Amino acid sequence: MPRPSPLDLPAHHPFGPHNLPFGLFTTAEDPGHRRLGVRHGDHVLDLAALATTSASPHAELLTAPSLNPLMAAGRGVWRAVREALLTAVTEPVHRPTVEGLLHPLDEVTLHLPFEVADYVDFFASEHHASNAGRIFRPGAEPLTPNWKHLPIAYHGRAGTVVVSGTDVVRPQGQRRPPEEAAPTFGPSARLDFEAEVGFVVGTGSRPGSPVPMADFADHVFGVCLVNDWSARDIQAWEYVPLGPFLGKSFATSVSAWVTPLDALEPARTAPPGRDVPLLPYLDDSGSEPAGYDLRLQVELNGETLSQPPFATTYWTAAQQLAHLTVNGAHLRTGDLYASGTVSGPRPDQLGCLLELTGGQGPWLQDGDEVTISAWAPGADGSHVGLGEVSGRVLPAAG
Ligand code: CA
């Protein structure tokens, strides 16, 4: 009887050959050597070693210490690499080589897989925007007049994007409780998470040339999960009139795995119906379905809090990309843009504590660990797993 191989996965394993997300890892034996890897089951395939061993025409890209060179190479190369990987993990002739390049997931350290260029965070879920509007502006219309006409966003801080597993120190700052006349300074007492989906730009664009929705898949390399940690008390005091700043910029966590768009093709779905006519650059009424059916799950200290459905998101990632470039701002390899908090219509589908507690708390305590995971429907009843994003809250700096 042949010995069991880690390449033989149970049918419909969420990290099977139909998925093959990319990451960056080191081993205990060689902690200084960051190299690209591909997740297969509960193992990491050393992509750099495979590219060298197999004399891949893309070896120079695949032996780089980040995903950026591969991401910059464009969709034709992404597809060629994905095809070669599929062959490597499924064709028996490659089995001895590939088996020797697998590392158990729990024996490697995962790193931030790409160098973040710019980071933008949208506000694309109507359920979240409405709920947040009711809490932050009671008595006013929940949605601002612009909301159904353009995908609203703010610029985040690229340099504080951290990989899953990184501890997050409770931020300090100014906050002014409603009953107080003047602000005080101290650790945030209303620390929150936001469950989001991130899109990672591979191919840049030319300055002055907007990227139309139809070119989305030529520019976006893949998808990750995002936790946009938010200090609600700092945010509430500082955000008028220019939007979030220090209440968000202390840390944003992303998953260690970037799932290729091609792996999520079976999860494409129509976005919600449009309530107002859209300007031509955002009008997707005649387009292929551009939403993604991603099923998120939020856990706090191992207990499920919520299951936000990304399919309910009003603005699609293609519309977000078109909007963020429509003024001529160009894309760079490594740009990250996130969806904003994903919330569905039901109470068990809300993507942050602000909504889950009606703005009343309880909020995150020191030592709390938040984990966001997700899966998407794949072909033939399979699931496509998205790598989780997890982080623990540490006490504020003394
Ligand atoms: Ca957010």
Side-chain angles (χ1 to χ4, degrees):
M1 208 173 114
R3 66 189 169 80
S5 164
L7 287 173
D8 294 325
L9 299 175
H12 295 336
H13 192 291
F15 291 94
H18 60 304
N19 188 341
L20 302 176
F22 293 93
L24 187 71
F25 76 102
T26 52
T27 61
E29 299 77 46
D30 199 359
H33 180 202
R34 292 190 179 202
R35 54 203 130 142
L36 296 182
V38 170
R39 182 163 174 182
H40 181 272
D42 297 320
H43 286 76
V44 181
L45 170 59
D46 187 333
L47 183 52
L50 180 65
T52 306
T53 309
S54 62
S56 163
H58 308 296
E60 195 176 332
L61 306 173
L62 302 178
T63 53
S66 102
L67 272 173
N68 287 50
L70 171 63
M71 297 199 308
R75 194 181 188 191
V77 174
W78 307 340
R79 289 202 149 157
V81 168
R82 184 168 163 78
E83 280 295 312
L85 276 168
L86 183 63
T87 302
V89 300
T90 55
E91 296 282 340
V93 66
H94 300 300
R95 181 162 283 221
T97 306
V98 172
E99 283 180 350
L101 301 176
L102 292 173
H103 299 268
L105 250 185
D106 56 10
E107 291 180 12
V108 304
T109 302
L110 298 170
H111 303 275
L112 189 64
F114 57 98
E115 296 150 40
V116 184
D118 277 287
Y119 165 48
V120 169
D121 195 19
F122 281 89
F123 191 48
S125 158
E126 182 176 1
H127 301 290
H128 170 68
S130 301
N131 292 334
R134 284 189 201 97
I135 293 166
F136 277 126
R137 298 183 306 277
E141 273 297 312
L143 292 181
T144 49
N146 55 0
W147 202 91
K148 291 257 164 115
H149 295 276
L150 55 83
I152 295 176
Y154 71 92
H155 266 280
R157 189 171 181 87
T160 51
V161 174
V162 297
V163 73
S164 176
T166 306
D167 292 332
V168 171
V169 175
R170 179 179 298 275
Q172 304 191 74
Q174 286 197 27
R175 58 272 198 281
R176 195 200 69 179
E179 64 277 13
E180 304 283 336
T184 57
F185 182 89
S188 170
R190 302 178 69 189
L191 184 60
D192 201 353
F193 60 81
E194 292 189 336
E196 308 197 7
V197 176
F199 293 82
V200 185
V201 171
T203 316
S205 62
R206 284 182 297 120
S209 296
V211 175
M213 290 184 292
D215 290 356
F216 167 74
D218 290 330
H219 289 276
V220 171
F221 176 78
V223 173
C224 60
L225 294 177
V226 176
N227 182 348
D228 177 29
W229 302 94
S230 299
R232 300 301 183 195
D233 40 4
I234 297 172
Q235 180 186 357
W237 172 232
E238 74 176 357
Y239 90 107
V240 179
L242 288 185
F245 184 35
L246 302 177
K248 303 271 195 179
S249 65
F250 54 95
T252 307
S253 300
V254 297
S255 56
W257 299 105
V258 181
T259 305
L261 276 193
D262 281 340
L264 295 172
E265 193 58 27
R268 290 265 295 268
T269 188
R274 306 310 182 185
D275 295 332
V276 300
L278 295 173
L279 289 169
Y281 78 97
L282 292 172
D283 183 359
D284 60 354
S285 53
S287 310
E288 292 289 307
Y292 284 96
D293 181 8
L294 312 180
R295 324 278 178 96
L296 276 61
Q297 172 158 301
V298 183
E299 287 173 66
L300 176 60
N301 302 324
E303 301 230 346
T304 301
L305 273 190
S306 172
Q307 294 183 305
F310 187 65
T312 62
T313 304
Y314 192 85
W315 295 104
T316 68
Q319 288 173 316
Q320 292 166 25
L321 189 72
H323 187 63
L324 79 84
T325 59
V326 75
N327 65 347
H330 63 287
L331 299 172
R332 292 191 298 167
T333 299
D335 281 351
L336 168 67
Y337 66 99
S339 60
T341 307
V342 181
S343 290
R346 300 204 321 247
D348 61 347
Q349 296 178 328
L350 304 172
C352 59
L353 289 176
L354 178 79
E355 293 172 79
L356 285 163
T357 70
Q360 301 303 304
W363 307 98
L364 294 175
Q365 304 298 305
D366 292 345
D368 278 352
E369 184 172 39
V370 179
T371 301
I372 302 161
S373 56
W375 62 273
D380 305 324
S382 64
H383 286 188
V384 180
L386 277 80
E388 67 180 29
V389 56
S390 189
R392 186 182 300 277
V393 178
L394 295 186

